[in-house]
């Protein structure tokens, strides 16, 4: 997990899973909680699950949500990406909420802002996949090269980065506040239904967590 200094802190499934309790998640879903950022209602259901400015993949009408906080320069995020997408595809009823959380330096911020700017030309997912699909650390020239190859209109991208700068930065601010409020310490981190999963899981573990989350939703 990027952000952890000690690899031994990367949790196993049983150690990682936390059923979110009072103040953050109850039977009816995510409710208002006060974060350390002095912002009230950082963890409302609308802001965490239904932020209209945050991209969604998988089944938008799925009966369980996975919320992922990731960084484009995070090697664990890149390694996990194809396995997570396969689990979501195989399941068919999972909604993936994609929270850009650039915590690994200025280039990570550039990558996240660029991906969110590509959303205005309906190319967020192409930009996301292009940057997650490389094995080397990103640089600004490499980001531009990858996005252009993925079919992103680079001239429009520059305009959207300027015209929508405040909106993009507001999304990243909300994502960061939520991650901090949940107590995440690195990327990737997840909420799966009612479970907080601060770490990397295997395909089989993700399948089991999704099943557990569905059972918890019914109780």
């Amino acid at each position: 997990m990027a952000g952890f200094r000690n690899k031994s802190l990367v949790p196993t499934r049983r150690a990682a899973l936390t059923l979110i309790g009072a103040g953050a998640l109850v039977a009816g879903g995510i409710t208002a909680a006060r974060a350390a950022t002095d912002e009230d209602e950082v963890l409302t259901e609308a802001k965490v699950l239904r932020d209209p400015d945050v991209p969604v993949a998988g089944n938008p009408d799925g009966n369980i949500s996975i919320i992922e906080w990731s960084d484009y320069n995070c090697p664990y995020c890149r390694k996990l990406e194809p396995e997570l997408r396969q689990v979501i595809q195989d399941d068919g009823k999972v909604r993936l909420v994609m929270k850009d959380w650039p915590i690994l330096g200025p280039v990570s911020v550039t990558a996240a802002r660029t991906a969110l700017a590509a959303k205005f030309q309906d190319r967020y997912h192409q930009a996301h996949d292009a940057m997650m699909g490389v094995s080397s650390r990103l640089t600004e020239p490499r980001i531009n090269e990858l996005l252009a190859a993925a079919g992103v209109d680079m001239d429009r991208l520059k305009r959207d980065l300027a015209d929508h700068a405040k909106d993009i930065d507001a999304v990243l601010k909300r994502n960061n506040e939520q991650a901090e409020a949940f107590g995440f310490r690195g990327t990737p981190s997840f909420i799966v239904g009612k479970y907080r999963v601060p770490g990397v899981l295997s395909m089989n573990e993700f399948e089991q967590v999704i099943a557990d989350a569905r059972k918890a939703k019914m109780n």
Side-chain angles (χ1 to χ4, degrees), residues 4-42:
F4 282 116
R5 293 183 181 180
N6 186 339
K7 291 184 179 180
S8 67
L9 292 176
V10 179
T12 63
R13 174 179 172 264
R14 291 191 178 278
L17 290 184
T18 304
L19 184 60
I20 303 170
L25 195 69
V26 295
I30 297 174
T31 60
R34 182 182 297 273
T37 57
D38 295 327
E39 289 284 341
D40 288 336
E41 299 185 346
V42 169

Side-chain angles (χ1 to χ4, degrees), residues 113-114 116-118 120-121 152-168:
R113 296 187 77 256
T114 301
L116 290 171
F120 292 97
Q121 56 178 286
V152 175
D153 182 332
M154 300 305 289
D155 289 332
R156 175 169 179 183
L157 184 74
K158 291 178 182 178
R159 294 194 301 270
D160 286 335
L161 276 167
D163 294 345
H164 300 284
K166 290 183 178 180
D167 294 333
I168 292 169

Side-chain angles (χ1 to χ4, degrees), residues 82-162:
E83 297 184 356
L84 176 60
R85 293 304 184 95
Q86 188 63 55
V87 169
I88 291 171
Q89 179 179 325
D90 292 346
D91 183 282
K93 296 181 181 180
V94 174
R95 179 175 176 268
L96 176 63
V97 182
M98 304 167 72
K99 304 271 188 179
D100 290 292
W101 188 27
I103 58 175
L104 299 177
V107 175
S108 291
V109 175
T110 297
R113 296 187 77 256
T114 301
L116 290 171
K119 178 174 173 283
F120 292 97
Q121 56 178 286
D122 295 324
R123 289 292 184 273
Y124 173 87
H125 293 288
Q126 289 86 342
H128 175 92
D129 292 348
M131 290 189 286
M132 280 294 183
V134 297
S135 58
S136 59
R137 191 167 180 84
L138 294 173
T139 63
E140 291 191 28
R142 182 63 171 147
I143 291 171
N144 293 333
E145 177 186 335
L146 289 167
L147 268 60
V152 175
D153 182 332
M154 300 305 289
D155 289 332
R156 175 169 179 183
L157 184 74
K158 291 178 182 178
R159 294 194 301 270
D160 286 335
L161 276 167

